[in-house]
Amino acid sequence: MFMNRPRRNRRNEVIRSMVRESQLLPAHLIAPLFVIEGKGQKVAINSMPGQFRFSIDELVKEAKALFDLGVKTVALFPAIEEKLKTPDAREAFNPEGLNARSIRAIKEALPEMMVMGDIALDPYSSDGHDGLVDSKTGEILNDPTLEVLAKQALCEARAGVDIIGPSDMMDGRVAYLRNALDKEGFHNVLIMSYCAKYASGFYGPFREALDSAPKKGDKKTYQMDPANSREALREAMLDEEEGADILMVKPGLPYLDVIYRLKENFTLPIAAYNVSGEYAMVKAAAQNGWIDNDKVILETLISFRRAGADIILTYFAKEAATLLRK
Ligand code: PBG
């Protein structure tokens, strides 16, 4: 009687690479980048070693470096000055604001680079919430928020954005934004909806980078309960019906099951957001010499691909693309 020997297919790198089921390429990656006012600024983010807040001139340089490495999409997150944050978050649709200027600068310098803009009010809101807040009850107001989000989306589209990423989790926003964009002739702007976005502890470093933590309360009335995955299917169904082009799951690693479920049940491409807290954990352990930085980065990213993610938003984009070159 012969014995089954799965190890034969692992004997050497030639056979291993022939039977490898998932591939990771720089083309799968989107690099999130933080932007600040000023010139020649590249300010380190404490809780995210290796990540910076860039002034627009430095941002363009970073985008060029990424493009040359094969990472051809960036997602922009502006750090808005405290004095510009208001309850109505009107800075979110200022055509001369930091966000619009950042988009324009990259599209001018690198027309082939795809630029993704975030849609949510938290960086612009004096309340630090993704939606408008009722000053009496503290409730996050859904429908009035949609109007502001649409203005934000149009502002980004006029600045030349290629993809909008609604990360606000208001109900009905995908359809609302699609209609607003189409009405102004922006039918080519893609919508990558943060369709399953969880109320997560893993966003801590991001909120430090943008100084955007909620002033009061938490985001549990709009972001999803980490205990749920059937609800992710419901959100995905709605976003698909409402016209989303790509469905995103966020955070990434703790929700690989959700990525897998969406991939099995939907035909739209799936994206995963490997968020700031996931990045911080790897960097902290690597800096202590407790794990191998390069191995863990590539293992993390391939796990998203194995689970079914077509696209990965990750702060490791530049490092990973550099590793993949070798
Ligand atoms: C805000 C937004 C957040 C992230 C992306 N867009 C934070 C939040 O919802 O509080 C988090 C990204 C990360 O942690 O890397 N709408």
Side-chain angles (χ1 to χ4, degrees):
M1 227 347 230
F2 70 90
M3 182 156 84
N4 262 311
R5 292 186 184 274
R7 285 184 55 192
R8 274 197 290 264
N9 287 351
R10 302 180 203 132
R11 272 188 71 214
N12 57 44
E13 185 50 30
V14 176
I15 184 66
R16 284 196 296 272
S17 49
M18 218 168 336
V19 301
R20 190 160 292 137
E21 299 172 36
S22 314
Q23 311 290 335
L24 177 69
L25 300 171
H28 300 133
L29 306 177
I30 297 180
L33 297 173
F34 299 105
V35 199
I36 47 168
E37 291 289 359
K39 259 199 163 160
Q41 300 288 313
K42 196 177 160 185
V43 184
I45 300 164
N46 233 346
S47 51
M48 300 178 76
Q51 297 299 310
F52 303 89
R53 301 180 192 85
F54 299 97
S55 56
I56 291 180
D57 52 336
E58 294 291 326
L59 175 77
V60 170
K61 284 188 211 161
E62 184 69 6
K64 267 195 186 127
L66 284 160
F67 193 90
D68 291 341
L69 284 165
V71 177
K72 298 184 177 175
T73 306
V74 290
L76 302 184
F77 294 99
I80 302 302
E81 293 170 287
E82 205 54 43
K83 60 173 196 264
L84 296 174
K85 299 185 183 184
T86 54
D88 63 3
R90 77 182 87 95
E91 182 64 13
F93 50 89
N94 176 359
E96 290 311 316
L98 181 59
N99 193 31
R101 277 182 283 124
S102 314
I103 296 168
R104 278 200 297 271
I106 295 185
K107 292 306 290 185
E108 252 162 53
L110 299 158
E112 284 166 53
M113 185 136 219
M114 297 267 281
V115 177
M116 176 164 160
D118 200 58
I119 301 292
L121 305 185
D122 49 330
Y124 311 90
S125 147
S126 45
D127 296 303
H129 276 287
D130 294 25
L132 299 172
V133 181
D134 184 313
S135 58
K136 287 197 191 99
T137 63
E139 189 190 340
I140 309 301
L141 301 167
N142 196 88
D143 299 11
T145 298
L146 297 181
E147 240 174 272
V148 189
L149 297 177
K151 286 185 188 167
Q152 185 180 24
L154 288 172
C155 172
E156 291 184 356
R158 289 179 198 127
V161 93
D162 299 284
I163 308 174
I164 60 164
S167 71
D168 54 284
M169 290 302 277
M170 296 300 117
D171 292 333
R173 87 259 209 232
V174 173
Y176 200 93
L177 294 173
R178 185 73 271 162
N179 281 327
L181 289 171
D182 288 358
K183 223 185 271 166
E184 283 215 21
F186 294 116
H187 48 265
N188 284 332
V189 172
L190 282 92
I191 300 183
M192 182 189 297
S193 73
Y194 287 62
C195 99
K197 177 172 179 180
Y198 288 88
S200 171
F202 287 93
Y203 307 146
F206 175 97
R207 291 179 189 172
E208 185 205 315
L210 294 190
D211 196 13
S212 65
K215 300 276 154 54
K216 256 195 225 151
D218 53 41
K219 299 192 176 185
K220 289 180 186 169
T221 68
Y222 47 108
Q223 299 181 346
M224 286 172 52
D225 185 334
N228 296 352
S229 72
R230 274 156 38 84
E231 191 182 1
L233 294 176
R234 182 174 186 220
E235 285 283 0
M237 216 150 62
L238 292 171
D239 286 2
E240 182 183 50
E241 272 170 22
E242 291 180 30
D245 299 288
I246 298 167
L247 302 173
M248 189 213 287
V249 175
K250 177 183 178 184
L253 276 187
Y255 300 90
L256 289 180
D257 59 318
V258 179
I259 295 170
Y260 183 75
R261 261 187 116 163
L262 292 194
K263 189 57 176 263
E264 294 282 290
N265 286 286
F266 292 87
T267 56
L268 288 174
I270 307 294
Y273 199 143
N274 178 215
V275 301
S276 57
E278 300 172 60
Y279 177 87
M281 289 196 304
V282 172
K283 285 294 166 190
Q287 282 184 346
N288 275 299
W290 295 340
I291 57 172
D292 180 321
N293 181 72
D294 297 358
K295 269 192 195 161
V296 169
I297 289 176
L298 294 178
E299 185 178 337
T300 299
L301 298 179
I302 204 71
S303 79
F304 289 119
R305 297 278 301 154
R306 192 188 65 238
D310 301 286
I311 300 165
I312 307 161
L313 290 97
T314 179
Y315 303 98
F316 294 122
K318 195 178 185 185
E319 263 188 290
T322 309
L323 291 171
L324 291 171
R325 276 251 153 133
K326 285 186 195 151

